[in-house]
Coordinates of all heavy atoms in Angstrom, one line a residue:
M23 N 0.8 -1.2 0.0 CA 0.0 0.0 0.0 C 0.9 1.3 0.0 O 0.6 2.2 -0.7 CB -0.9 -0.1 1.2 CG -1.9 1.1 1.2 SD -3.1 0.8 -0.1 CE -4.4 1.7 0.5
V24 N 1.9 1.3 0.9 CA 2.8 2.4 0.9 C 3.5 2.6 -0.4 O 3.7 3.7 -0.9 CB 3.7 2.3 2.1 CG1 4.7 3.4 2.2 CG2 2.9 2.3 3.4
N25 N 4.0 1.5 -0.9 CA 4.7 1.5 -2.2 C 3.9 2.1 -3.3 O 4.4 2.8 -4.1 CB 5.2 0.1 -2.5 CG 6.3 0.1 -3.6 OD1 6.8 1.2 -3.8 ND2 6.5 -1.0 -4.2
L26 N 2.6 1.8 -3.3 CA 1.7 2.4 -4.3 C 1.6 3.9 -4.1 O 1.5 4.6 -5.1 CB 0.3 1.7 -4.3 CG 0.3 0.2 -4.7 CD1 -1.1 -0.3 -4.5 CD2 0.7 0.1 -6.1
L27 N 1.5 4.3 -2.9 CA 1.4 5.7 -2.6 C 2.7 6.5 -3.0 O 2.6 7.6 -3.6 CB 1.1 6.0 -1.1 CG -0.3 5.5 -0.6 CD1 -0.4 5.7 0.9 CD2 -1.4 6.3 -1.3
I28 N 3.8 5.9 -2.7 CA 5.1 6.5 -3.1 C 5.2 6.6 -4.7 O 5.6 7.6 -5.2 CB 6.3 5.7 -2.6 CG1 6.3 5.8 -1.1 CG2 7.6 6.1 -3.2 CD1 7.3 4.9 -0.4
S29 N 4.8 5.5 -5.3 CA 4.9 5.5 -6.8 C 3.9 6.5 -7.4 O 4.2 7.1 -8.4 CB 4.6 4.1 -7.3 OG 3.3 3.7 -7.1
Q30 N 2.8 6.8 -6.8 CA 1.8 7.8 -7.3 C 2.3 9.2 -7.1 O 2.1 10.1 -7.9 CB 0.5 7.6 -6.7 CG -0.3 6.4 -7.2 CD -1.6 6.2 -6.6 OE1 -2.0 7.0 -5.7 NE2 -2.3 5.1 -6.9
L31 N 3.0 9.4 -6.0 CA 3.5 10.7 -5.7 C 4.7 11.1 -6.6 O 4.8 12.3 -7.0 CB 4.0 10.8 -4.2 CG 3.0 10.8 -3.2 CD1 3.6 10.8 -1.8 CD2 2.1 12.0 -3.3
W32 N 5.5 10.2 -7.0 CA 6.7 10.5 -7.8 C 6.6 10.0 -9.2 O 7.6 9.9 -9.9 CB 7.9 9.9 -7.1 CG 8.3 10.6 -5.8 CD1 8.1 11.9 -5.5 CD2 8.9 10.0 -4.7 NE1 8.5 12.1 -4.3 CE2 9.0 10.9 -3.7 CE3 9.3 8.7 -4.4 CZ2 9.6 10.7 -2.5 CZ3 9.8 8.4 -3.2 CH2 10.0 9.4 -2.2
S33 N 5.4 9.7 -9.7 CA 5.3 9.1 -11.0 C 5.6 10.1 -12.1 O 6.0 9.7 -13.2 CB 3.8 8.6 -11.2 OG 2.9 9.6 -11.1
H34 N 5.4 11.4 -11.9 CA 5.7 12.4 -12.9 C 7.2 12.6 -13.1 O 7.6 13.2 -14.0 CB 4.9 13.7 -12.7 CG 5.2 14.3 -11.4 ND1 6.3 15.1 -11.2 CD2 4.5 14.3 -10.2 CE1 6.3 15.6 -9.9 NE2 5.2 15.1 -9.3
W35 N 8.0 12.2 -12.1 CA 9.4 12.4 -12.3 C 10.1 11.2 -12.9 O 11.2 11.3 -13.4 CB 10.1 12.6 -10.9 CG 9.9 14.0 -10.4 CD1 9.9 15.1 -11.0 CD2 9.5 14.3 -9.0 NE1 9.6 16.2 -10.2 CE2 9.4 15.7 -9.0 CE3 9.3 13.5 -7.9 CZ2 9.0 16.3 -7.8 CZ3 9.0 14.2 -6.7 CH2 8.9 15.6 -6.7
G36 N 9.5 10.0 -12.9 CA 10.0 8.9 -13.6 C 10.9 8.0 -12.8 O 11.5 7.1 -13.3
W37 N 11.1 8.3 -11.5 CA 12.0 7.5 -10.7 C 11.3 6.7 -9.6 O 11.9 6.4 -8.6 CB 13.2 8.3 -10.2 CG 12.8 9.6 -9.5 CD1 12.2 10.7 -10.1 CD2 13.0 10.0 -8.2 NE1 12.0 11.7 -9.3 CE2 12.5 11.3 -8.0 CE3 13.5 9.4 -7.1 CZ2 12.5 11.9 -6.8 CZ3 13.5 10.0 -5.9 CH2 13.0 11.3 -5.8
E38 N 10.0 6.5 -9.8 CA 9.3 5.8 -8.7 C 9.7 4.3 -8.6 O 9.7 3.7 -7.5 CB 7.8 5.9 -9.0 CG 7.3 5.0 -10.2 CD 7.4 5.7 -11.5 OE1 7.8 6.9 -11.5 OE2 7.0 5.1 -12.5
V39 N 10.1 3.7 -9.7 CA 10.6 2.3 -9.7 C 11.9 2.2 -8.8 O 12.0 1.3 -8.0 CB 10.8 1.8 -11.1 CG1 11.4 0.4 -11.0 CG2 9.5 1.8 -11.8
G40 N 12.8 3.1 -9.0 CA 14.0 3.1 -8.3 C 13.8 3.4 -6.8 O 14.4 2.7 -5.9
M41 N 12.9 4.3 -6.5 CA 12.6 4.6 -5.1 C 11.9 3.4 -4.4 O 12.2 3.1 -3.2 CB 11.8 5.9 -4.9 CG 12.6 7.1 -5.3 SD 14.1 7.3 -4.4 CE 13.4 7.7 -2.8
G42 N 11.0 2.8 -5.1 CA 10.3 1.6 -4.5 C 11.2 0.5 -4.3 O 11.2 -0.2 -3.2
A43 N 12.1 0.2 -5.2 CA 13.1 -0.8 -5.1 C 14.1 -0.5 -3.9 O 14.4 -1.4 -3.1 CB 13.9 -1.1 -6.4
L44 N 14.5 0.7 -3.8 CA 15.3 1.1 -2.7 C 14.7 1.0 -1.4 O 15.3 0.5 -0.4 CB 15.8 2.6 -2.9 CG 16.7 3.2 -1.9 CD1 18.0 2.4 -1.9 CD2 16.9 4.6 -2.1
A45 N 13.4 1.3 -1.3 CA 12.7 1.2 0.0 C 12.6 -0.3 0.4 O 12.8 -0.6 1.5 CB 11.3 1.8 -0.2
W46 N 12.3 -1.2 -0.6 CA 12.2 -2.6 -0.3 C 13.6 -3.3 0.0 O 13.7 -4.3 0.7 CB 11.5 -3.4 -1.4 CG 10.0 -3.1 -1.3 CD1 9.3 -2.3 -2.1 CD2 9.1 -3.6 -0.3 NE1 7.9 -2.3 -1.7 CE2 7.8 -3.1 -0.6 CE3 9.3 -4.4 0.9 CZ2 6.7 -3.3 0.2 CZ3 8.1 -4.6 1.7 CH2 6.9 -4.1 1.3
L47 N 14.7 -2.7 -0.6 CA 16.0 -3.3 -0.3 C 16.6 -2.8 1.0 O 17.4 -3.5 1.6 CB 16.9 -2.9 -1.5 CG 16.7 -3.7 -2.8 CD1 17.6 -3.2 -3.9 CD2 16.9 -5.2 -2.6
L48 N 16.1 -1.7 1.5 CA 16.6 -1.2 2.8 C 16.1 -2.0 3.9 O 16.8 -2.1 4.9 CB 16.2 0.3 3.0 CG 17.0 1.3 2.2 CD1 16.5 2.7 2.4 CD2 18.5 1.2 2.6
I49 N 15.0 -2.6 3.8 CA 14.4 -3.4 4.9 C 15.3 -4.6 5.2 O 15.7 -4.8 6.4 CB 13.0 -3.9 4.6 CG1 12.1 -2.6 4.5 CG2 12.5 -4.9 5.6 CD1 10.7 -2.9 4.0
P50 N 15.7 -5.5 4.3 CA 16.6 -6.6 4.6 C 18.0 -6.1 5.0 O 18.7 -6.7 5.8 CB 16.7 -7.4 3.4 CG 15.9 -6.7 2.3 CD 15.2 -5.6 2.9
L51 N 18.4 -5.0 4.4 CA 19.8 -4.4 4.8 C 19.8 -4.0 6.3 O 20.7 -4.4 7.0 CB 20.1 -3.3 3.9 CG 21.4 -2.6 4.2 CD1 22.6 -3.5 3.9 CD2 21.6 -1.3 3.5
L52 N 18.8 -3.3 6.7 CA 18.7 -2.9 8.1 C 18.5 -4.1 9.0 O 19.1 -4.2 10.1 CB 17.6 -1.9 8.3 CG 17.8 -0.5 7.7 CD1 16.5 0.3 7.8 CD2 19.0 0.1 8.2
A53 N 17.8 -5.1 8.6 CA 17.6 -6.3 9.4 C 19.0 -7.1 9.5 O 19.3 -7.6 10.6 CB 16.6 -7.2 8.7
A54 N 19.7 -7.1 8.4 CA 21.0 -7.8 8.5 C 22.0 -7.1 9.4 O 22.8 -7.7 10.2 CB 21.6 -7.9 7.1
I55 N 22.0 -5.7 9.4 CA 22.9 -5.0 10.2 C 22.4 -5.2 11.7 O 23.3 -5.4 12.6 CB 22.8 -3.5 9.9 CG1 23.5 -3.3 8.5 CG2 23.5 -2.6 10.9 CD1 23.3 -1.9 7.9
G56 N 21.1 -5.2 11.9 CA 20.7 -5.4 13.3 C 21.0 -6.8 13.8 O 21.4 -7.0 14.9
A57 N 20.9 -7.8 12.9 CA 21.3 -9.2 13.3 C 22.8 -9.3 13.6 O 23.2 -10.0 14.5 CB 20.8 -10.2 12.2
G58 N 23.6 -8.6 12.8 CA 25.0 -8.7 13.1 C 25.4 -8.0 14.4 O 26.2 -8.5 15.1
L59 N 24.8 -6.9 14.7 CA 25.0 -6.2 16.0 C 24.6 -7.1 17.1 O 25.3 -7.2 18.1 CB 24.3 -4.9 16.0 CG 24.9 -3.8 15.1 CD1 24.0 -2.5 15.1 CD2 26.3 -3.4 15.5
W60 N 23.4 -7.7 17.0 CA 22.9 -8.5 18.1 C 23.8 -9.8 18.2 O 24.1 -10.2 19.4 CB 21.5 -9.0 17.8 CG 21.0 -9.9 18.9 CD1 20.4 -9.5 20.1 CD2 21.0 -11.3 18.9 NE1 20.1 -10.6 20.8 CE2 20.4 -11.7 20.1 CE3 21.4 -12.3 18.0 CZ2 20.3 -13.1 20.4 CZ3 21.3 -13.6 18.3 CH2 20.7 -14.0 19.5
G61 N 24.2 -10.4 17.1 CA 25.1 -11.5 17.2 C 26.4 -11.2 17.9 O 26.9 -12.0 18.7
S62 N 27.0 -10.1 17.5 CA 28.3 -9.7 18.2 C 28.1 -9.4 19.7 O 29.0 -9.7 20.5 CB 28.9 -8.5 17.5 OG 28.1 -7.4 17.6
W63 N 26.9 -8.9 20.0 CA 26.7 -8.6 21.5 C 26.4 -9.9 22.2 O 26.9 -10.1 23.3 CB 25.5 -7.7 21.6 CG 25.1 -7.4 23.0 CD1 25.7 -6.6 23.9 CD2 24.1 -8.1 23.8 NE1 25.1 -6.6 25.1 CE2 24.1 -7.5 25.1 CE3 23.1 -9.0 23.4 CZ2 23.2 -7.9 26.0 CZ3 22.2 -9.4 24.4 CH2 22.2 -8.9 25.7
A64 N 25.7 -10.8 21.6 CA 25.3 -12.1 22.3 C 26.5 -13.0 22.4 O 26.6 -13.8 23.4 CB 24.3 -12.8 21.5
T65 N 27.5 -12.9 21.6 CA 28.7 -13.8 21.7 C 29.9 -13.1 22.3 O 31.0 -13.7 22.2 CB 29.1 -14.4 20.3 OG1 29.4 -13.3 19.4 CG2 27.9 -15.2 19.7
R66 N 29.7 -12.0 22.9 CA 30.9 -11.3 23.5 C 31.4 -12.2 24.7 O 30.7 -13.0 25.3 CB 30.4 -10.0 24.0 CG 29.5 -10.0 25.2 CD 29.0 -8.6 25.6 NE 28.2 -8.6 26.8 CZ 27.0 -9.1 26.9 NH1 26.4 -9.6 25.9 NH2 26.3 -9.0 28.1
T67 N 32.7 -12.0 24.9 CA 33.3 -12.8 26.0 C 33.0 -12.0 27.3 O 33.2 -10.8 27.5 CB 34.8 -12.9 25.8 OG1 35.3 -11.6 25.7 CG2 35.1 -13.7 24.6
R68 N 32.5 -12.8 28.3 CA 32.2 -12.2 29.6 C 33.3 -12.6 30.6 O 33.9 -13.7 30.5 CB 30.9 -12.8 30.0 CG 29.7 -12.3 29.1 CD 28.4 -12.8 29.7 NE 27.3 -12.4 28.9 CZ 26.7 -13.1 28.0 NH1 27.0 -14.4 27.8 NH2 25.7 -12.7 27.3
K69 N 33.5 -11.8 31.5 CA 34.5 -12.0 32.6 C 34.0 -13.2 33.5 O 32.9 -13.1 34.0 CB 34.7 -10.8 33.4 CG 35.9 -10.9 34.3 CD 36.3 -9.5 34.8 CE 35.7 -9.2 36.1 NZ 36.2 -8.0 36.7
A70 N 34.8 -14.2 33.6 CA 34.4 -15.3 34.4 C 34.6 -15.0 35.9 O 35.6 -14.6 36.3 CB 35.3 -16.5 34.0
R71 N 33.5 -15.1 36.6 CA 33.5 -14.9 38.0 C 33.6 -16.1 38.9 O 34.0 -16.0 40.0 CB 32.2 -14.2 38.5 CG 32.1 -12.8 38.1 CD 30.9 -12.1 38.7 NE 29.7 -13.0 38.8 CZ 28.6 -12.6 39.4 NH1 28.5 -11.4 39.8 NH2 27.6 -13.5 39.4
G72 N 33.2 -17.2 38.4 CA 33.2 -18.4 39.1 C 31.9 -18.5 39.9 O 31.0 -17.7 39.7
D73 N 31.8 -19.6 40.7 CA 30.5 -19.8 41.4 C 30.6 -19.3 42.8 O 29.6 -19.5 43.6 CB 30.3 -21.3 41.4 CG 29.9 -21.9 40.1 OD1 29.4 -21.1 39.3 OD2 30.1 -23.1 39.8
G74 N 31.6 -18.6 43.3 CA 31.7 -18.2 44.7 C 30.6 -17.3 45.2 O 29.9 -17.7 46.2
P75 N 30.2 -16.2 44.5 CA 29.1 -15.4 45.0 C 27.8 -16.1 45.1 O 27.0 -15.9 46.0 CB 29.1 -14.2 44.1 CG 30.4 -14.2 43.5 CD 30.9 -15.6 43.4
E76 N 27.5 -16.9 44.1 CA 26.2 -17.7 44.0 C 26.1 -18.7 45.1 O 25.1 -18.8 45.8 CB 26.0 -18.3 42.7 CG 25.7 -17.3 41.5 CD 27.0 -16.7 41.0 OE1 28.1 -17.1 41.3 OE2 26.8 -15.8 40.2
L77 N 27.2 -19.4 45.4 CA 27.2 -20.4 46.4 C 27.1 -19.8 47.8 O 26.5 -20.3 48.7 CB 28.5 -21.3 46.3 CG 28.5 -22.2 45.1 CD1 29.8 -23.0 45.0 CD2 27.3 -23.2 45.1
D78 N 27.8 -18.7 48.0 CA 27.7 -18.0 49.3 C 26.3 -17.5 49.5 O 25.8 -17.6 50.6 CB 28.6 -16.7 49.3 CG 30.1 -17.2 49.3 OD1 30.4 -18.3 49.7 OD2 30.9 -16.3 48.9
G79 N 25.6 -17.0 48.5 CA 24.2 -16.5 48.6 C 23.3 -17.7 49.0 O 22.4 -17.6 49.8
Y80 N 23.6 -18.9 48.3 CA 22.7 -20.0 48.6 C 22.9 -20.5 50.0 O 22.0 -20.9 50.7 CB 23.0 -21.1 47.6 CG 22.3 -22.4 47.9 CD1 20.9 -22.4 47.7 CD2 22.9 -23.5 48.3 CE1 20.2 -23.6 48.0 CE2 22.2 -24.7 48.6 CZ 20.8 -24.7 48.4 OH 20.1 -25.9 48.7
A81 N 24.2 -20.5 50.5 CA 24.4 -20.9 51.9 C 23.7 -20.0 52.9 O 23.2 -20.5 53.9 CB 25.9 -20.9 52.1
R82 N 23.7 -18.7 52.6 CA 23.0 -17.7 53.5 C 21.5 -18.0 53.5 O 20.8 -18.0 54.5 CB 23.3 -16.3 53.1 CG 24.7 -15.9 53.5 CD 24.9 -14.4 53.3 NE 24.5 -13.8 52.0 CZ 25.3 -13.7 51.0 NH1 26.6 -14.1 51.1 NH2 24.9 -13.3 49.8
F83 N 21.0 -18.3 52.3 CA 19.6 -18.6 52.1 C 19.2 -19.8 52.9 O 18.2 -19.9 53.6 CB 19.2 -18.7 50.7 CG 17.8 -19.2 50.4 CD1 16.7 -18.4 50.6 CD2 17.6 -20.5 50.0 CE1 15.4 -18.9 50.4 CE2 16.4 -21.0 49.8 CZ 15.3 -20.2 50.0
R84 N 20.0 -20.9 52.8 CA 19.7 -22.1 53.4 C 19.8 -22.0 54.9 O 18.9 -22.5 55.7 CB 20.7 -23.2 52.9 CG 20.3 -24.6 53.4 CD 21.2 -25.6 52.8 NE 22.6 -25.2 53.1 CZ 23.7 -25.8 52.5 NH1 23.5 -26.6 51.6 NH2 24.9 -25.4 52.9
A85 N 20.8 -21.2 55.4 CA 20.9 -21.0 56.9 C 19.7 -20.2 57.4 O 19.1 -20.5 58.5 CB 22.2 -20.2 57.2
A86 N 19.2 -19.2 56.6 CA 18.1 -18.4 57.0 C 16.8 -19.3 57.1 O 15.9 -19.1 58.0 CB 17.9 -17.2 56.1
M87 N 16.6 -20.2 56.1 CA 15.5 -21.0 56.1 C 15.5 -22.0 57.2 O 14.4 -22.3 57.8 CB 15.4 -21.8 54.7 CG 15.1 -20.9 53.6 SD 13.6 -19.9 53.8 CE 12.4 -21.2 53.6
E88 N 16.7 -22.5 57.6 CA 16.7 -23.4 58.7 C 16.4 -22.7 60.0 O 15.8 -23.3 60.9 CB 18.1 -24.1 58.8 CG 18.4 -25.1 57.7 CD 19.8 -25.6 57.6 OE1 20.6 -25.1 58.5 OE2 20.1 -26.4 56.8
R89 N 16.8 -21.5 60.2 CA 16.5 -20.7 61.4 C 15.1 -20.4 61.5 O 14.5 -20.5 62.6 CB 17.3 -19.4 61.4 CG 18.7 -19.5 61.8 CD 19.3 -18.2 62.1 NE 19.2 -17.3 61.0 CZ 20.1 -17.0 60.1 NH1 21.3 -17.7 60.2 NH2 19.9 -16.2 59.1
S90 N 14.4 -20.1 60.4 CA 13.0 -19.7 60.5 C 12.1 -20.9 60.8 O 11.1 -20.8 61.4 CB 12.5 -19.1 59.2 OG 12.5 -20.1 58.2
H91 N 12.5 -22.1 60.5 CA 11.7 -23.3 60.7 C 12.0 -24.0 62.1 O 11.4 -24.9 62.5 CB 11.8 -24.3 59.6 CG 11.2 -23.9 58.3 ND1 9.8 -23.7 58.2 CD2 11.7 -23.5 57.2 CE1 9.5 -23.3 57.0 NE2 10.6 -23.1 56.3
S92 N 13.2 -23.6 62.7 CA 13.6 -24.3 63.9 C 12.7 -24.0 65.1 O 12.6 -24.8 66.0 CB 15.0 -24.0 64.2 OG 15.1 -22.6 64.5
G93 N 12.0 -22.8 65.1 CA 11.1 -22.4 66.2 C 9.8 -23.1 66.2 O 9.0 -23.0 67.2
T94 N 9.3 -23.7 65.1 CA 8.0 -24.3 65.1 C 7.9 -25.7 65.5 O 8.8 -26.5 65.4 CB 7.4 -24.2 63.7 OG1 8.3 -24.8 62.7 CG2 7.2 -22.7 63.3

């Protein structure tokens, strides 16, 4: 629908075919650029922290749960 409107607006200049093709070729080009940026972000190397902070947090959680149930 939009392509038809563009072609009607610029039909007296004679370059509506080129503009329509350009508009439809820009969509996959922008999608490819976006996919490349997302792919590079998703596969970036992250600093390895190890399991220390997670295990410490779990130990604190387990101790707190044992304390809350010991009074009942």
